[in-house]
Amino acid sequence: MTALDPTPDPSPDALEPTISADQVSLSRRLRQPRTILSIVLPIGLLALFVRSLPGFQLDALPGKILSAQPALLLAAFVVFYLGFPLRGLRWATLVRRTGFPLRTRDATEIIFISWLVNCLVPAKLGDIYRAYLLKINTTVSLSRTFGTVFIERVLDLFAIAVLGMAAGLISFRSGLPTEVQIVLGIGIVVVVLLAVGLVTLRNAGRRILIALPIPHTIVDFYDRFEEGVFAAVDLRALPRLVVLTGLIWGIEAARLYLVVAAFGFPDVHLGISGAFFVALAGALLTAVPLTPAGIGVVEAGVVGLLTLLYGVPQTEALAIVLVDRSISVLSIIAIGSVAYAVSPRRRGAGLPDANGASPGAAPGPVPG
């Protein structure tokens, strides 16, 4: 501001990017033809794929699914949902490092609702919706929140790549099939690219943006985003985050292991290392943003891994995948829809801080 210009400099909050309620409205997104097509088309293609292969005995599939032991399936369900408090604790840890004392319970609720969105809408809109929910319920900067979500995804990719490589080496220690060598090679490339990307972001990100002909508001957004990324992760917080991330992905593998054990198929010998490898490979496939929760892509990929690498008969492999995905996707849609309907978070009711203080922000209601 100069003496001749009485207009005050914009506050940092004024430079924040804005996301309207309509842009993230779940009901509006579900009515879009693109969303409907992204759900129906992969399911139809998967059904055609299954019917076209002679190894699938579809008439025997219902009986195989019903033969699963309910107690072990319940254990798989419980283990899977134990992962959400861990995810909430990890994200709350990241957000607290940026200055806002987010409670683990509130972080878990927001993450659970965002998973519902990811299960219904393509393009990983749930990650954007998570940042949006925190923004409308607190005074936390939206761009800093994007930074915490981004670094969380980076931690997940590191864990998937490293744990997947370790599980693959253990599972196939007698000799690595060509397909596994390709997967492990991809894992190494992912780890290297993530490391190079983070170093570049830290040391040269701002200089690169300044050199480009872009508005200054984008540079301001980047500054806050970078604060969210690197303030959330430092040497003191990193060990805790690594342990939490390892536990989270261990739970993903445990769910699949329990589902396989529930069937007790005599021809299936996956083991813990195999469950890790297949579960992490399936998680990597969910990153494909073409369909909600990777519907169609994950099922085909995991069935392929089970049959080609572990010799699981096709019908048994399909039964395992359908039950596992019922726990990890269909149950989220069923339970998450209830949580979405009753949660005050999507209405911007505000969040208490970690000490139970009054809400930080409470904008108007958010349309469904």
Side-chain angles (χ1 to χ4, degrees), residues 84-93 96 101-111 240 352-354:
F84 283 101
L86 290 176
R87 292 179 184 276
L89 176 58
R90 184 180 62 172
W91 188 42
T93 300
R96 288 170 193 164
L102 180 64
R103 300 189 306 174
T104 299
R105 185 179 73 179
D106 296 320
T108 302
E109 180 181 343
I110 291 175
I111 286 176
R240 184 185 193 187
D353 63 23

PDB file of all heavy atoms in Angstrom, residues 84-93 96 101-111 240 352-354:
ATOM      1  N   PHE A  84      -9.573 -46.562  10.348  1.00  0.00           N
ATOM      2  CA  PHE A  84     -10.012 -45.170  10.249  1.00  0.00           C
ATOM      3  C   PHE A  84      -9.531 -44.313  11.420  1.00  0.00           C
ATOM      4  O   PHE A  84      -9.075 -43.182  11.202  1.00  0.00           O
ATOM      5  CB  PHE A  84     -11.532 -45.105  10.081  1.00  0.00           C
ATOM      6  CG  PHE A  84     -11.975 -45.449   8.694  1.00  0.00           C
ATOM      7  CD1 PHE A  84     -12.482 -46.702   8.401  1.00  0.00           C
ATOM      8  CD2 PHE A  84     -11.864 -44.531   7.665  1.00  0.00           C
ATOM      9  CE1 PHE A  84     -12.859 -47.038   7.117  1.00  0.00           C
ATOM     10  CE2 PHE A  84     -12.243 -44.844   6.371  1.00  0.00           C
ATOM     11  CZ  PHE A  84     -12.745 -46.116   6.101  1.00  0.00           C
ATOM     12  N   PRO A  85      -9.610 -44.782  12.668  1.00  0.00           N
ATOM     13  CA  PRO A  85      -9.005 -43.975  13.741  1.00  0.00           C
ATOM     14  C   PRO A  85      -7.510 -43.753  13.543  1.00  0.00           C
ATOM     15  O   PRO A  85      -6.994 -42.678  13.878  1.00  0.00           O
ATOM     16  CB  PRO A  85      -9.294 -44.794  15.007  1.00  0.00           C
ATOM     17  CG  PRO A  85     -10.476 -45.625  14.664  1.00  0.00           C
ATOM     18  CD  PRO A  85     -10.338 -45.946  13.211  1.00  0.00           C
ATOM     19  N   LEU A  86      -6.817 -44.747  13.002  1.00  0.00           N
ATOM     20  CA  LEU A  86      -5.389 -44.564  12.728  1.00  0.00           C
ATOM     21  C   LEU A  86      -5.175 -43.513  11.644  1.00  0.00           C
ATOM     22  O   LEU A  86      -4.264 -42.672  11.749  1.00  0.00           O
ATOM     23  CB  LEU A  86      -4.763 -45.888  12.301  1.00  0.00           C
ATOM     24  CG  LEU A  86      -4.621 -46.956  13.386  1.00  0.00           C
ATOM     25  CD1 LEU A  86      -4.075 -48.256  12.786  1.00  0.00           C
ATOM     26  CD2 LEU A  86      -3.703 -46.474  14.504  1.00  0.00           C
ATOM     27  N   ARG A  87      -6.003 -43.550  10.616  1.00  0.00           N
ATOM     28  CA  ARG A  87      -5.911 -42.525   9.577  1.00  0.00           C
ATOM     29  C   ARG A  87      -6.257 -41.149  10.148  1.00  0.00           C
ATOM     30  O   ARG A  87      -5.633 -40.139   9.787  1.00  0.00           O
ATOM     31  CB  ARG A  87      -6.848 -42.865   8.411  1.00  0.00           C
ATOM     32  CG  ARG A  87      -6.421 -44.088   7.623  1.00  0.00           C
ATOM     33  CD  ARG A  87      -7.389 -44.396   6.488  1.00  0.00           C
ATOM     34  NE  ARG A  87      -7.045 -45.614   5.785  1.00  0.00           N
ATOM     35  CZ  ARG A  87      -6.162 -45.703   4.797  1.00  0.00           C
ATOM     36  NH1 ARG A  87      -5.561 -44.600   4.381  1.00  0.00           N
ATOM     37  NH2 ARG A  87      -5.902 -46.861   4.214  1.00  0.00           N
ATOM     38  N   GLY A  88      -7.269 -41.118  11.023  1.00  0.00           N
ATOM     39  CA  GLY A  88      -7.623 -39.848  11.650  1.00  0.00           C
ATOM     40  C   GLY A  88      -6.498 -39.308  12.520  1.00  0.00           C
ATOM     41  O   GLY A  88      -6.203 -38.112  12.504  1.00  0.00           O
ATOM     42  N   LEU A  89      -5.853 -40.195  13.289  1.00  0.00           N
ATOM     43  CA  LEU A  89      -4.735 -39.772  14.130  1.00  0.00           C
ATOM     44  C   LEU A  89      -3.584 -39.249  13.281  1.00  0.00           C
ATOM     45  O   LEU A  89      -2.954 -38.237  13.621  1.00  0.00           O
ATOM     46  CB  LEU A  89      -4.275 -40.945  14.994  1.00  0.00           C
ATOM     47  CG  LEU A  89      -3.034 -40.709  15.871  1.00  0.00           C
ATOM     48  CD1 LEU A  89      -3.247 -39.548  16.826  1.00  0.00           C
ATOM     49  CD2 LEU A  89      -2.675 -41.984  16.639  1.00  0.00           C
ATOM     50  N   ARG A  90      -3.302 -39.923  12.173  1.00  0.00           N
ATOM     51  CA  ARG A  90      -2.205 -39.470  11.310  1.00  0.00           C
ATOM     52  C   ARG A  90      -2.495 -38.104  10.712  1.00  0.00           C
ATOM     53  O   ARG A  90      -1.638 -37.214  10.721  1.00  0.00           O
ATOM     54  CB  ARG A  90      -1.969 -40.492  10.186  1.00  0.00           C
ATOM     55  CG  ARG A  90      -0.787 -40.144   9.304  1.00  0.00           C
ATOM     56  CD  ARG A  90      -0.565 -41.157   8.210  1.00  0.00           C
ATOM     57  NE  ARG A  90      -1.693 -41.252   7.288  1.00  0.00           N
ATOM     58  CZ  ARG A  90      -1.671 -41.957   6.148  1.00  0.00           C
ATOM     59  NH1 ARG A  90      -0.587 -42.655   5.835  1.00  0.00           N
ATOM     60  NH2 ARG A  90      -2.727 -42.010   5.363  1.00  0.00           N
ATOM     61  N   TRP A  91      -3.717 -37.917  10.199  1.00  0.00           N
ATOM     62  CA  TRP A  91      -4.029 -36.615   9.587  1.00  0.00           C
ATOM     63  C   TRP A  91      -4.079 -35.527  10.652  1.00  0.00           C
ATOM     64  O   TRP A  91      -3.610 -34.409  10.422  1.00  0.00           O
ATOM     65  CB  TRP A  91      -5.344 -36.698   8.827  1.00  0.00           C
ATOM     66  CG  TRP A  91      -5.619 -35.464   8.011  1.00  0.00           C
ATOM     67  CD1 TRP A  91      -4.717 -34.774   7.248  1.00  0.00           C
ATOM     68  CD2 TRP A  91      -6.856 -34.761   7.887  1.00  0.00           C
ATOM     69  NE1 TRP A  91      -5.318 -33.696   6.650  1.00  0.00           N
ATOM     70  CE2 TRP A  91      -6.628 -33.672   7.032  1.00  0.00           C
ATOM     71  CE3 TRP A  91      -8.124 -34.974   8.422  1.00  0.00           C
ATOM     72  CZ2 TRP A  91      -7.645 -32.782   6.698  1.00  0.00           C
ATOM     73  CZ3 TRP A  91      -9.140 -34.095   8.078  1.00  0.00           C
ATOM     74  CH2 TRP A  91      -8.901 -32.998   7.224  1.00  0.00           C
ATOM     75  N   ALA A  92      -4.650 -35.836  11.828  1.00  0.00           N
ATOM     76  CA  ALA A  92      -4.679 -34.848  12.902  1.00  0.00           C
ATOM     77  C   ALA A  92      -3.257 -34.446  13.299  1.00  0.00           C
ATOM     78  O   ALA A  92      -2.990 -33.264  13.578  1.00  0.00           O
ATOM     79  CB  ALA A  92      -5.427 -35.413  14.110  1.00  0.00           C
ATOM     80  N   THR A  93      -2.332 -35.409  13.301  1.00  0.00           N
ATOM     81  CA  THR A  93      -0.937 -35.105  13.602  1.00  0.00           C
ATOM     82  C   THR A  93      -0.359 -34.141  12.582  1.00  0.00           C
ATOM     83  O   THR A  93       0.335 -33.178  12.929  1.00  0.00           O
ATOM     84  CB  THR A  93      -0.099 -36.406  13.630  1.00  0.00           C
ATOM     85  OG1 THR A  93      -0.621 -37.281  14.629  1.00  0.00           O
ATOM     86  CG2 THR A  93       1.360 -36.113  13.923  1.00  0.00           C
ATOM     87  N   ARG A  96      -2.023 -30.645  13.057  1.00  0.00           N
ATOM     88  CA  ARG A  96      -1.532 -29.983  14.278  1.00  0.00           C
ATOM     89  C   ARG A  96      -0.171 -29.360  14.059  1.00  0.00           C
ATOM     90  O   ARG A  96       0.141 -28.306  14.630  1.00  0.00           O
ATOM     91  CB  ARG A  96      -1.468 -30.996  15.425  1.00  0.00           C
ATOM     92  CG  ARG A  96      -2.823 -31.424  15.974  1.00  0.00           C
ATOM     93  CD  ARG A  96      -2.652 -32.597  16.917  1.00  0.00           C
ATOM     94  NE  ARG A  96      -3.929 -33.238  17.223  1.00  0.00           N
ATOM     95  CZ  ARG A  96      -4.051 -34.440  17.760  1.00  0.00           C
ATOM     96  NH1 ARG A  96      -2.951 -35.146  18.064  1.00  0.00           N
ATOM     97  NH2 ARG A  96      -5.241 -34.948  18.011  1.00  0.00           N
ATOM     98  N   PRO A 101      -5.077 -27.291  16.320  1.00  0.00           N
ATOM     99  CA  PRO A 101      -5.151 -28.513  17.136  1.00  0.00           C
ATOM    100  C   PRO A 101      -6.365 -29.373  16.800  1.00  0.00           C
ATOM    101  O   PRO A 101      -7.317 -29.479  17.572  1.00  0.00           O
ATOM    102  CB  PRO A 101      -5.224 -27.965  18.560  1.00  0.00           C
ATOM    103  CG  PRO A 101      -5.907 -26.641  18.411  1.00  0.00           C
ATOM    104  CD  PRO A 101      -5.454 -26.081  17.082  1.00  0.00           C
ATOM    105  N   LEU A 102      -6.330 -30.023  15.662  1.00  0.00           N
ATOM    106  CA  LEU A 102      -7.437 -30.872  15.214  1.00  0.00           C
ATOM    107  C   LEU A 102      -7.522 -32.128  16.068  1.00  0.00           C
ATOM    108  O   LEU A 102      -6.519 -32.801  16.314  1.00  0.00           O
ATOM    109  CB  LEU A 102      -7.230 -31.250  13.744  1.00  0.00           C
ATOM    110  CG  LEU A 102      -8.285 -32.145  13.096  1.00  0.00           C
ATOM    111  CD1 LEU A 102      -9.636 -31.458  13.044  1.00  0.00           C
ATOM    112  CD2 LEU A 102      -7.824 -32.559  11.686  1.00  0.00           C
ATOM    113  N   ARG A 103      -8.730 -32.443  16.514  1.00  0.00           N
ATOM    114  CA  ARG A 103      -8.926 -33.661  17.303  1.00  0.00           C
ATOM    115  C   ARG A 103      -8.967 -34.886  16.405  1.00  0.00           C
ATOM    116  O   ARG A 103      -9.452 -34.833  15.277  1.00  0.00           O
ATOM    117  CB  ARG A 103     -10.229 -33.571  18.102  1.00  0.00           C
ATOM    118  CG  ARG A 103     -10.292 -32.416  19.090  1.00  0.00           C
ATOM    119  CD  ARG A 103     -11.513 -32.523  19.989  1.00  0.00           C
ATOM    120  NE  ARG A 103     -12.755 -32.656  19.222  1.00  0.00           N
ATOM    121  CZ  ARG A 103     -13.940 -32.873  19.782  1.00  0.00           C
ATOM    122  NH1 ARG A 103     -14.038 -32.972  21.114  1.00  0.00           N
ATOM    123  NH2 ARG A 103     -15.031 -32.974  19.049  1.00  0.00           N
ATOM    124  N   THR A 104      -8.480 -36.002  16.927  1.00  0.00           N
ATOM    125  CA  THR A 104      -8.458 -37.243  16.159  1.00  0.00           C
ATOM    126  C   THR A 104      -9.867 -37.680  15.779  1.00  0.00           C
ATOM    127  O   THR A 104     -10.106 -38.147  14.655  1.00  0.00           O
ATOM    128  CB  THR A 104      -7.765 -38.353  16.968  1.00  0.00           C
ATOM    129  OG1 THR A 104      -6.417 -37.966  17.241  1.00  0.00           O
ATOM    130  CG2 THR A 104      -7.770 -39.670  16.199  1.00  0.00           C
ATOM    131  N   ARG A 105     -10.819 -37.513  16.687  1.00  0.00           N
ATOM    132  CA  ARG A 105     -12.190 -37.927  16.393  1.00  0.00           C
ATOM    133  C   ARG A 105     -12.767 -37.139  15.219  1.00  0.00           C
ATOM    134  O   ARG A 105     -13.417 -37.715  14.337  1.00  0.00           O
ATOM    135  CB  ARG A 105     -13.074 -37.722  17.631  1.00  0.00           C
ATOM    136  CG  ARG A 105     -14.492 -38.246  17.455  1.00  0.00           C
ATOM    137  CD  ARG A 105     -15.310 -38.044  18.708  1.00  0.00           C
ATOM    138  NE  ARG A 105     -15.671 -36.634  18.902  1.00  0.00           N
ATOM    139  CZ  ARG A 105     -16.402 -36.192  19.913  1.00  0.00           C
ATOM    140  NH1 ARG A 105     -16.810 -37.029  20.855  1.00  0.00           N
ATOM    141  NH2 ARG A 105     -16.698 -34.917  20.017  1.00  0.00           N
ATOM    142  N   ASP A 106     -12.525 -35.844  15.202  1.00  0.00           N
ATOM    143  CA  ASP A 106     -13.046 -35.024  14.110  1.00  0.00           C
ATOM    144  C   ASP A 106     -12.331 -35.337  12.803  1.00  0.00           C
ATOM    145  O   ASP A 106     -12.954 -35.368  11.735  1.00  0.00           O
ATOM    146  CB  ASP A 106     -12.890 -33.543  14.451  1.00  0.00           C
ATOM    147  CG  ASP A 106     -13.727 -33.143  15.657  1.00  0.00           C
ATOM    148  OD1 ASP A 106     -14.867 -33.619  15.769  1.00  0.00           O
ATOM    149  OD2 ASP A 106     -13.231 -32.365  16.490  1.00  0.00           O
ATOM    150  N   ALA A 107     -11.021 -35.564  12.872  1.00  0.00           N
ATOM    151  CA  ALA A 107     -10.276 -35.934  11.668  1.00  0.00           C
ATOM    152  C   ALA A 107     -10.787 -37.249  11.109  1.00  0.00           C
ATOM    153  O   ALA A 107     -10.941 -37.411   9.890  1.00  0.00           O
ATOM    154  CB  ALA A 107      -8.787 -36.025  11.993  1.00  0.00           C
ATOM    155  N   THR A 108     -11.076 -38.204  11.988  1.00  0.00           N
ATOM    156  CA  THR A 108     -11.587 -39.507  11.548  1.00  0.00           C
ATOM    157  C   THR A 108     -12.944 -39.354  10.875  1.00  0.00           C
ATOM    158  O   THR A 108     -13.210 -39.973   9.837  1.00  0.00           O
ATOM    159  CB  THR A 108     -11.711 -40.455  12.754  1.00  0.00           C
ATOM    160  OG1 THR A 108     -10.430 -40.594  13.384  1.00  0.00           O
ATOM    161  CG2 THR A 108     -12.214 -41.824  12.326  1.00  0.00           C
ATOM    162  N   GLU A 109     -13.807 -38.532  11.436  1.00  0.00           N
ATOM    163  CA  GLU A 109     -15.134 -38.323  10.844  1.00  0.00           C
ATOM    164  C   GLU A 109     -15.028 -37.712   9.456  1.00  0.00           C
ATOM    165  O   GLU A 109     -15.704 -38.156   8.513  1.00  0.00           O
ATOM    166  CB  GLU A 109     -15.964 -37.419  11.759  1.00  0.00           C
ATOM    167  CG  GLU A 109     -17.364 -37.148  11.235  1.00  0.00           C
ATOM    168  CD  GLU A 109     -18.168 -36.223  12.150  1.00  0.00           C
ATOM    169  OE1 GLU A 109     -17.764 -36.049  13.323  1.00  0.00           O
ATOM    170  OE2 GLU A 109     -19.186 -35.679  11.683  1.00  0.00           O
ATOM    171  N   ILE A 110     -14.189 -36.706   9.318  1.00  0.00           N
ATOM    172  CA  ILE A 110     -14.038 -36.047   8.017  1.00  0.00           C
ATOM    173  C   ILE A 110     -13.450 -37.008   6.993  1.00  0.00           C
ATOM    174  O   ILE A 110     -13.895 -37.067   5.830  1.00  0.00           O
ATOM    175  CB  ILE A 110     -13.165 -34.785   8.162  1.00  0.00           C
ATOM    176  CG1 ILE A 110     -13.923 -33.716   8.958  1.00  0.00           C
ATOM    177  CG2 ILE A 110     -12.770 -34.236   6.795  1.00  0.00           C
ATOM    178  CD1 ILE A 110     -13.104 -32.480   9.268  1.00  0.00           C
ATOM    179  N   ILE A 111     -12.452 -37.790   7.390  1.00  0.00           N
ATOM    180  CA  ILE A 111     -11.852 -38.757   6.471  1.00  0.00           C
ATOM    181  C   ILE A 111     -12.885 -39.793   6.038  1.00  0.00           C
ATOM    182  O   ILE A 111     -12.958 -40.159   4.857  1.00  0.00           O
ATOM    183  CB  ILE A 111     -10.637 -39.440   7.128  1.00  0.00           C
ATOM    184  CG1 ILE A 111      -9.451 -38.475   7.183  1.00  0.00           C
ATOM    185  CG2 ILE A 111     -10.238 -40.706   6.366  1.00  0.00           C
ATOM    186  CD1 ILE A 111      -8.242 -39.019   7.899  1.00  0.00           C
ATOM    187  N   ARG A 240       6.727 -41.087  14.086  1.00  0.00           N
ATOM    188  CA  ARG A 240       5.337 -41.410  14.420  1.00  0.00           C
ATOM    189  C   ARG A 240       4.506 -41.598  13.163  1.00  0.00           C
ATOM    190  O   ARG A 240       3.688 -42.527  13.075  1.00  0.00           O
ATOM    191  CB  ARG A 240       4.747 -40.299  15.288  1.00  0.00           C
ATOM    192  CG  ARG A 240       3.341 -40.589  15.780  1.00  0.00           C
ATOM    193  CD  ARG A 240       2.784 -39.402  16.529  1.00  0.00           C
ATOM    194  NE  ARG A 240       1.583 -39.759  17.262  1.00  0.00           N
ATOM    195  CZ  ARG A 240       0.809 -38.885  17.897  1.00  0.00           C
ATOM    196  NH1 ARG A 240       1.134 -37.601  17.902  1.00  0.00           N
ATOM    197  NH2 ARG A 240      -0.268 -39.274  18.534  1.00  0.00           N
ATOM    198  N   PRO A 352     -14.567 -28.104  17.438  1.00  0.00           N
ATOM    199  CA  PRO A 352     -13.804 -27.704  18.624  1.00  0.00           C
ATOM    200  C   PRO A 352     -12.343 -28.066  18.424  1.00  0.00           C
ATOM    201  O   PRO A 352     -12.014 -28.956  17.639  1.00  0.00           O
ATOM    202  CB  PRO A 352     -14.433 -28.550  19.742  1.00  0.00           C
ATOM    203  CG  PRO A 352     -15.001 -29.734  19.053  1.00  0.00           C
ATOM    204  CD  PRO A 352     -15.423 -29.265  17.687  1.00  0.00           C
ATOM    205  N   ASP A 353     -11.468 -27.366  19.125  1.00  0.00           N
ATOM    206  CA  ASP A 353     -10.057 -27.690  19.003  1.00  0.00           C
ATOM    207  C   ASP A 353      -9.734 -28.899  19.874  1.00  0.00           C
ATOM    208  O   ASP A 353     -10.610 -29.523  20.468  1.00  0.00           O
ATOM    209  CB  ASP A 353      -9.170 -26.488  19.343  1.00  0.00           C
ATOM    210  CG  ASP A 353      -9.328 -26.025  20.785  1.00  0.00           C
ATOM    211  OD1 ASP A 353      -9.758 -26.839  21.630  1.00  0.00           O
ATOM    212  OD2 ASP A 353      -9.023 -24.863  21.068  1.00  0.00           O
ATOM    213  N   ALA A 354      -8.473 -29.241  19.951  1.00  0.00           N
ATOM    214  CA  ALA A 354      -8.068 -30.448  20.660  1.00  0.00           C
ATOM    215  C   ALA A 354      -8.386 -30.389  22.150  1.00  0.00           C
ATOM    216  O   ALA A 354      -8.460 -31.415  22.817  1.00  0.00           O
ATOM    217  CB  ALA A 354      -6.571 -30.683  20.461  1.00  0.00           C
TER     218      ALA A 354
END
